Amino acid sequence: MSEALFDHIKKHIDIDKNVIASVLPYFNPLRVKKKQHLITEGKTCRKNYFVVKGCLRMFFLDENGNEQTIQFALENWWMTDIDAFNKRRKASFSVQALEDTEVLEIDKDAMDSMLREYPAMERYFRLIYERAYSASLFRVKYILRLSKEAFYELFTASYPDFIQRVPQKVLASFLGFTPEYLSELRKKQVQRKKDGQAI
């Protein structure tokens, strides 16, 4: 499992292999089953997770008890309720495995210790969080600016893996659609492809 994190760190920062080898013991490998929760809304968030294999989602319950998915994490992505993790408090969001998933987890104390001991990792996490923040800003922009159909087209073009791996109900909640509307959009997309091939 640690090879995936090793490669991901090297991809983002210049760091000595011996330093990475010293960093990896701060992380614990964990296998979680499909639908298992790693973080539960209302309970203290203690861990940050790096996805080695599988898919996670982050969601919360709205006032009607409906699940609202706000984020996904596939291979080589990080996921946690970052505010609750950093402040050692109760989570505002839940994190659940959408597939049988392998992660590397690190708790807050271990992470603080690692960052003090190896400052290069501060840069690594800063770059990761900057990318995640930028992605969240663009998502809000696209939701507000684009039509629902255009947003769906952009999403499917940008993240084709999600379409194959994420249940329709979960994907619909992420996109802000009803499952029925998402089904209609998918049918339209398939029909357009067929029409294009027929020409």
Side-chain angles (χ1 to χ4, degrees), residues 6-165:
F6 184 96
D7 292 339
H8 198 255
I9 293 170
K10 288 196 302 180
K11 179 180 175 181
H12 288 85
I13 61 171
D14 292 325
I15 189 170
D16 188 271
K17 290 182 179 180
N18 293 328
V19 173
I20 298 182
S22 298
V23 162
L24 294 177
Y26 285 91
F27 297 85
N28 297 313
L30 181 67
R31 297 175 189 270
V32 291
K33 294 292 186 182
K34 181 179 180 179
K35 295 188 177 181
Q36 182 177 336
H37 281 67
L38 292 168
I39 298 171
T40 301
E41 185 177 352
K43 295 187 177 180
T44 303
C45 176
R46 304 181 187 280
K47 303 290 178 67
N48 196 357
Y49 300 96
F50 176 80
V51 180
V52 176
K53 182 179 180 182
C55 181
L56 303 177
R57 69 155 175 155
M58 181 181 290
F59 68 96
F60 66 92
L61 298 177
D62 67 17
E63 63 275 9
N64 297 317
N66 298 314
E67 296 178 353
Q68 298 294 319
T69 300
I70 62 166
Q71 191 177 351
F72 294 106
L74 292 173
E75 288 81 6
N76 298 321
W77 292 23
W78 286 90
M79 181 167 277
T80 190
D81 179 337
I82 192 65
D83 188 59
F85 175 74
N86 284 333
K87 296 177 180 176
R88 306 171 192 264
R89 67 183 191 186
K90 292 180 180 179
S92 298
F93 307 96
S94 295
V95 172
Q96 179 189 45
L98 291 176
E99 305 169 349
D100 290 345
T101 300
E102 298 175 11
V103 299
L104 290 170
E105 63 176 15
I106 185 168
D107 67 31
K108 178 61 175 166
D109 289 337
M111 188 158 176
D112 287 346
S113 176
M114 176 189 68
L115 296 179
R116 283 194 301 269
E117 187 71 21
Y118 303 100
M121 292 300 292
E122 287 268 15
R123 174 172 168 75
Y124 167 73
F125 278 103
R126 177 175 61 79
L127 293 172
I128 296 303
Y129 293 142
E130 285 176 354
R131 290 181 63 190
Y133 180 61
S134 294
S136 69
L137 290 179
F138 276 105
R139 177 172 177 252
V140 172
K141 177 182 177 180
Y142 293 140
I143 288 173
L144 296 175
R145 174 175 286 183
L146 301 178
S147 69
K148 288 185 176 183
E149 189 166 353
F151 181 46
Y152 175 70
E153 293 286 348
L154 176 65
F155 184 81
T156 56
S158 302
Y159 303 103
D161 283 349
F162 284 121
I163 306 306
Q164 303 299 322
R165 297 172 66 174

